[in-house]
Amino acid sequence: MSIEIKDLDKIKESGFKSLNPDSLRITVGMASCGLATGAQKVFDALVEAVKGSGLDARVVRVGCIGYCEKEPLVEVTGPELPRICYPDMTPERAGELVKSLAVGNYREDMALFRASKDNAAEPPGEVKDIVAFDELPYFKRQKRYVLDNAGVIDPENIEEYIARGGYSSIGKIFKEKISPEDVIETIKKSGLRGRGGAGFPTYRKWESARRAGGYPKYVICNADEGDPGAFMDRNILESDPHSVIEGMIIGGYAIGAGQGIVYIRHEYPLAVKRLGLALKQAREKGLLGRDIMGSGFDFDIGMSRGGGAFVCGESSALIASIEGKVGEPRPKFVHMAESGLWECPTVLNNVKTWASVTNIIRKGAESFSQIGTDKSKGTMIFALVGKIKNTGLVEVPMGIKLRDLIYEIGGGIQGDKKFKAVQTGGPSGGCVPEKLLDLPVDYEALTEAGSMMGSGGMIVMDEETCMVNIAKYFLNFTMEESCGKCTPCREGIKQMYEILDRITKGEGRPEDIETLETLGHIIKETSLCQLGGSAPNPVLTTLRYFKDEYMAHINEKKCPAGVCTALIEYSIDADNCTGCGLCLKNCPVNAISGEKKQTHTIDPAMCIKCGICRSVCPFEAVILK
Amino acid sequence: MALIEKVDGIVEMYGSNPGGLIAILQDIQDEYRYLDREAIIRVAHDLKLPVSQVYSVANFYNAFSLAPTGKHIVSVCLGTACYVKGAGLILDRLEREMEIKIGETTGDRLFTLQGVRCLGCCSIAPVITIDGEIYGEIKQERISKILESYK
């Protein structure tokens, strides 16, 4: 049944009851990351335990709040109770928790944090001592703007989205008859820039497409998150899919489009499923389709599954792919806003951008523009991963220092090893060294450091990461993903890769450094699209900040980080070896010999340098040279 | 159902949707787990497109496999987070155990080994999946046993 603006309030009420029931509400974080750590088993165990306990509770699936390190996460809330979050859940712990809850024990000892709800009341005495959400170092510096709903609402229940203010943005536009021009003006005032990488002001794309003649027009959501090490778009679609749909409706209204398309990565089956369900629910409620909320505005959204090609993150390649063609980019002298999909005016934005749009219209331009720096407004979502203690998705105000992100929120380096670099911007970005850790995170500062904002991957590397090897890794990626249309990218990246490969094998030559730099600059300047245009960045930044490591590989034939197998050798330290035989047992090529309780030795001729002996040795007797 | 009828049915589902080629190939891939030569020729026939055009699309995207795959698909995540945590060594070990290279299928058609770019489970890196089942914080020494359980 199609709803009108006034009906939103009724749905809001029922959604609110679902979020704040008279009984207990037990939620399990069930986005892909949670499921990978066993959330489904925890969910099943909770359902089973609740059944047997006589506890008046409903077990609900939600998305992910982004604290991956502590997953699976379970939250409990009730009429008089804040949200209490319990980390590292297992089916056993879940059963134990339910038993305790049944006798009114909220298990402070197991809890991670408590968070107040929409109808915030003072927490009752028994949970007061649990640390508050915004006091926890991981969340303290975060600013939850786009991720506000993630991990709180059931992503498969549209009513819970509406209860948290969902679809009130389009409700407001239609009720107050806000003109498309004024919508664009609000986006302009907010200072929103594209969250997909380049940071182009969103309103400018919209303005051009609004002015462009021709019909139909299209809005497209780029959900082909191809950057290895970034998963925030997936998380938004799995945790709060309606926020993206609502943003696209606003965009469609603003430019005068009747059709939206989400181009979504095929490796994300759960995101595809949840978005599909959300689209269906929105259609059933008349929030998509003809005459939305009686406004006279027609708009619908379809899904196009990507074929798995990194280059399709490039706008013109993405459009070719939607058209069923090979995903090759085209020269950019024709703007998408005038001639995009099927040669019609098209606006293409990233998942995070669309979700930001929804929030900006709902909360006002200022709610966004007051966050961030002079030129980079609002919040940015990062996937904080690699050799860091607190892995997860974090939403922070633009302008935060890298140091605060890594040490305060991220908790520092795993095993308290030495920080070496942080890689931002994925294969198009670069490695930022320790001396630049006080850099504020914004589009310009990162670009100046030779890296880029990109889609938000942030990979932390420690002293055991080889910078030459990591540059080679990224180049291998872009080499494989180059579509092959233009020569600098197709041939140039391959040449750079081969040089790096030689260096990591100890066959580097002194002139290689200069060749890499020259090639890198030529590829950047002459490639057709930004895949090639940015592919040399990982090499150029590591050359800029870690030249010593390159020189050690080339001149001394050494890999200081101990990664490049051709340049390292394993041996056993007789002083520490107890002859326990663990390394011998695990060596896959029988390169280790020795009698029980006698010092063992490694035959370098047979050793394949897999490092397994070193990782299994309990006495740190295996040395790496 | 014979391949030809199946392909015709899938093409029909997408009707004359001009952007439907990739979706059609995805559905065929889901059904047979690879794109057979006959299937590609039939799609071209049904859509009145040159075979070369259908083949180039099938060949371009990572989602498509042009050779039959094994009974079990072993995927190694080669995303950056997994890579810095040693995914390369995990891959080496898998290649040695299975006696194939990445992208290949074992002689007995039991396993296909492939690389994937980030499954988004970075907190439990390095990660491998077998038929979608996720194995996190994987260590080389666990691999033999895991593979054995699929034999």
Side-chain angles (χ1 to χ4, degrees), chain B residues 6-57:
Chain B
K6 193 94 205 172
V7 169
D8 289 351
I10 290 170
V11 173
E12 203 171 311
M13 244 168 43
Y14 291 90
S16 53
N17 178 359
L21 177 58
I22 293 172
I24 289 167
L25 294 180
Q26 274 167 338
D27 282 6
I28 299 172
Q29 165 92 25
D30 286 348
E31 186 72 31
Y32 296 97
R33 314 215 310 179
Y34 82 106
L35 298 176
D36 189 73
R37 184 189 155 86
E38 288 302 311
I40 289 176
I41 294 172
R42 187 66 185 182
V43 170
H45 167 269
D46 288 352
L47 292 176
K48 299 186 176 58
L49 291 173
V51 176
S52 61
Q53 192 178 331
V54 179
Y55 178 79
S56 69
V57 168

Side-chain angles (χ1 to χ4, degrees), chain A residues 35-99:
Chain A
L35 290 168
T37 51
Q40 185 64 52
K41 287 193 185 108
V42 170
F43 183 90
D44 296 342
L46 283 167
V47 172
E48 204 52 42
V50 166
K51 243 191 251 164
S53 70
L55 187 71
D56 188 11
R58 200 163 65 94
V59 186
V60 182
R61 98 179 71 66
V62 294
C64 175
I65 59 167
Y67 205 166
C68 300
E69 199 60 38
K70 303 285 182 196
E71 278 186 312
L73 290 161
V74 166
E75 284 190 14
V76 174
T77 185
E80 302 287 312
L81 214 57
R83 284 164 41 210
I84 308 171
C85 178
Y86 303 93
D88 301 315
M89 290 304 276
T90 57
E92 295 72 39
R93 275 165 65 85
E96 194 189 325
L97 177 65
V98 170
K99 258 190 212 154

Side-chain angles (χ1 to χ4, degrees), chain A residues 288-359:
Chain A
L288 286 173
R290 297 192 76 80
D291 190 20
I292 296 172
M293 290 174 145
S295 64
F297 174 58
D298 304 337
F299 186 76
D300 209 336
I301 298 176
M303 250 198 287
S304 176
R305 281 174 300 158
F310 180 67
V311 69
C312 289
E314 205 279 341
S315 55
S316 60
L318 186 150
I319 277 169
S321 182
I322 294 180
E323 291 175 351
K325 299 179 199 151
V326 164
E328 285 179 352
R330 63 172 198 204
K332 279 287 184 59
F333 52 81
V334 183
H335 290 290
M336 200 69 57
E338 282 123 35
S339 178
L341 183 63
W342 308 116
E343 293 175 11
C344 295
T346 302
V347 159
L348 188 140
N349 284 125
N350 167 275
V351 171
K352 295 177 285 289
T353 314
W354 289 120
S356 300
V357 164
T358 304
N359 284 285

Side-chain angles (χ1 to χ4, degrees), chain A residues 139-434:
Chain A
F139 291 109
K140 201 173 179 177
R141 299 287 301 269
Q142 290 199 44
K143 174 90 193 157
R144 313 277 290 184
Y145 189 83
V146 171
L147 293 181
D148 202 23
N149 280 333
V152 178
I153 63 166
D154 175 357
E156 299 187 15
N157 182 347
I158 189 172
E159 294 191 348
E160 291 192 2
Y161 175 71
I162 292 173
R164 303 260 301 174
Y167 291 109
S168 65
S169 299
I170 56 168
K172 182 162 105 182
I173 289 171
F174 296 143
K175 193 174 164 192
E176 296 171 16
K177 299 201 165 45
I178 300 172
S179 72
E181 286 76 12
D182 284 347
V183 171
I184 296 175
E185 186 59 27
T186 304
I187 298 299
K188 181 179 178 179
K189 274 193 194 140
S190 75
L192 175 65
R193 295 168 66 175
R195 257 47 181 167
F200 194 74
T202 304
Y203 85 91
R204 293 224 328 244
K205 287 186 185 177
W206 290 24
E207 221 169 47
S208 311
R210 170 93 207 146
R211 283 201 205 112
Y215 195 83
K217 294 179 182 177
Y218 295 98
V219 292
I220 298 177
C221 172
N222 180 358
D224 189 46
E225 194 166 48
D227 171 355
F231 51 95
M232 56 286 289
D233 293 350
R234 190 209 72 210
N235 192 53
I236 292 173
L237 290 168
E238 288 177 354
S239 303
D240 194 16
H242 288 284
S243 67
V244 179
I245 297 174
E246 190 175 359
M248 291 178 74
I249 300 172
I250 296 165
Y253 173 77
I255 71 158
Q259 178 70 45
I261 295 162
V262 182
Y263 185 80
I264 186 164
R265 190 165 175 227
H266 82 116
E267 282 107 331
Y268 286 169
L270 187 63
V272 172
K273 179 183 161 238
R274 290 202 175 143
L275 177 67
L277 196 65
L279 288 170
K280 186 169 161 268
Q281 290 170 350
R283 226 168 271 137
E284 279 165 6
K285 294 247 185 278
L287 295 162
L288 286 173
R290 297 192 76 80
D291 190 20
I292 296 172
M293 290 174 145
S295 64
F297 174 58
D298 304 337
F299 186 76
D300 209 336
I301 298 176
M303 250 198 287
S304 176
R305 281 174 300 158
F310 180 67
V311 69
C312 289
E314 205 279 341
S315 55
S316 60
L318 186 150
I319 277 169
S321 182
I322 294 180
E323 291 175 351
K325 299 179 199 151
V326 164
E328 285 179 352
R330 63 172 198 204
K332 279 287 184 59
F333 52 81
V334 183
H335 290 290
M336 200 69 57
E338 282 123 35
S339 178
L341 183 63
W342 308 116
E343 293 175 11
C344 295
T346 302
V347 159
L348 188 140
N349 284 125
N350 167 275
V351 171
K352 295 177 285 289
T353 314
W354 289 120
S356 300
V357 164
T358 304
N359 284 285
I360 288 166
I361 300 295
R362 188 188 305 159
K363 302 170 190 165
E366 265 182 24
S367 71
F368 192 82
S369 65
Q370 69 189 13
I371 309 169
T373 63
D374 200 22
K375 285 184 180 164
S376 301
K377 299 293 184 195
T379 59
M380 181 68 192
I381 304 170
F382 288 104
L384 204 51
V385 298
K387 308 274 186 81
I388 190 148
K389 280 185 190 154
N390 294 331
T391 305
L393 270 190
V394 300
E395 183 173 12
V396 290
M398 288 279 193
I400 190 170
K401 283 180 187 164
L402 280 170
R403 188 182 301 281
D404 296 344
L405 243 174
I406 292 164
Y407 285 94
E408 273 193 49
I409 297 175
I413 311 301
Q414 264 176 1
D416 291 318
K417 295 218 164 91
K418 204 170 167 303
F419 170 89
K420 187 184 263 181
V422 56
Q423 211 276 348
T424 68
S428 311
C431 293
V432 180
E434 179 159 30

